[in-house]
Amino acid sequence: MKKILLFALISLLFLSSCTQKKKEELRIATNSWIGYAPLFYAKEKGYLDALNIKLITNVSLAEAVDIYSVGKADLVTTTLHEYHMLKNSGHAIVPIILLDRSNGGDMILSNRTIDELVNAKQIYAYLEIDSINAEILEDFLQHYKIDQNKIKYINKDQAQIEDLKPQKDKNILIVTYVPYNLSLEKKGFKEIASTKDMETIVVIDSLCSNQATIDIYQRRLQELKQIIDRSIHEIEANKQLSYEITKGYLGNISYDEYVNSFKLIEWINNPSKKLLKRIKPMDYDEKQLIK
């Protein structure tokens, strides 16, 4: 009888331990973007597993936000747009780790020249409407004085947009980002603008969470920051190895495309005072950032 009770007690403790471990799992919702390569790298190297952190990869910014919004993720990667969208919808969300700044990595493609678009009667614009894509497009239209009334907005995720082909009888604008631009450019679409030459918009990618998660898992999030820093260092030190590890998350792009994609972003995991000053009005609280 004592043996039976002892076995039952051990079984109960084991189940309790497993349940507790499951409860402590942290989930990050993200999407395919070259600036999130450190997370993909950390996942494949086992660095995230060591912290019991799961990565949930999606095809679009909006999908990652939806996963977080309904409580299926504890953290989410966002640009300023998605961060404010979540905050304005009632989420007590806080940017805690800065990752990268787009420096040409977000772009607008078209099958027409800018002059042709200015004079066009109708333009079909493909983008993720509930994302930073909308702000990039608005900035582009204002800069070139293209009438918004002639824009037909078509909401698609990047996997769907990637299937588009140039059409002779259709004026097309596409708001996209690395790596999705690569296959579109191979089909004949040309880059006509990017965050490299858009001075009025700053696209910052950060990892966000709610205050309760930050308070409970502060130490683990600090360890996550160290892992991100380590992953960036290892990616920069050995591009060939990091390519083999992360290419599956980036549409299996070629090695040359992979290397060139990093030229379109700037790592800001250790942000400069100048950058922090510039993004402070955008509601990024330096005191909340893990450094």
Side-chain angles (χ1 to χ4, degrees), residues 150-216:
K150 62 184 181 183
I151 304 295
K152 182 175 176 60
Y153 295 87
I154 301 171
N155 187 27
K156 300 278 187 181
D157 65 42
Q158 292 298 326
Q160 294 169 320
I161 291 173
E162 196 176 21
D163 291 332
L164 290 174
K165 296 178 181 179
Q167 299 177 37
K168 291 183 179 180
D169 60 343
K170 202 171 184 179
N171 303 309
I172 297 175
L173 274 178
I174 298 173
V175 189
T176 188
Y177 47 87
V178 179
Y180 297 103
N181 66 303
L182 298 170
S183 62
L184 290 165
E185 289 175 4
K186 288 174 183 176
K187 292 175 183 177
F189 289 103
K190 304 292 184 183
E191 181 182 313
I192 56 174
S194 78
T195 46
K196 192 169 187 175
D197 45 56
M198 291 180 175
E199 296 181 357
T200 58
I201 188 168
V202 180
V203 180
I204 300 290
D205 289 289
S206 61
L207 187 62
C208 302
S209 189
N210 61 56
Q211 193 62 55
T213 298
I214 295 167
D215 292 340
I216 295 171

Side-chain angles (χ1 to χ4, degrees), residues 13-56:
L13 289 171
F14 175 79
L15 290 172
S16 177
S17 175
C18 291
T19 302
Q20 183 65 24
K21 185 176 181 181
K22 187 175 181 181
K23 284 182 180 179
E24 289 179 354
E25 178 184 72
L26 292 178
R27 299 154 297 173
I28 301 174
T30 188
N31 62 288
S32 295
W33 159 245
I34 194 67
Y36 301 149
L39 292 173
F40 309 145
Y41 181 89
K43 167 60 180 174
E44 293 303 310
K45 290 286 285 186
Y47 300 159
L48 295 185
D49 292 339
L51 292 182
N52 200 15
I53 293 177
K54 179 182 178 181
L55 203 61
I56 305 172

Side-chain angles (χ1 to χ4, degrees), residues 44 238-248 255 258:
E44 293 303 310
N238 194 334
K239 286 287 197 335
Q240 183 66 55
L241 177 61
S242 67
Y243 165 70
E244 296 297 335
I245 289 173
T246 63
K247 64 181 180 180
Y255 176 68
Y258 177 77

Side-chain angles (χ1 to χ4, degrees), residues 100-114:
D100 68 277
R101 176 184 176 184
S102 177
N103 188 32
D106 294 86
M107 68 280 292
I108 294 179
L109 308 181
S110 182
N111 61 338
R112 301 286 188 261
T113 65
I114 291 174

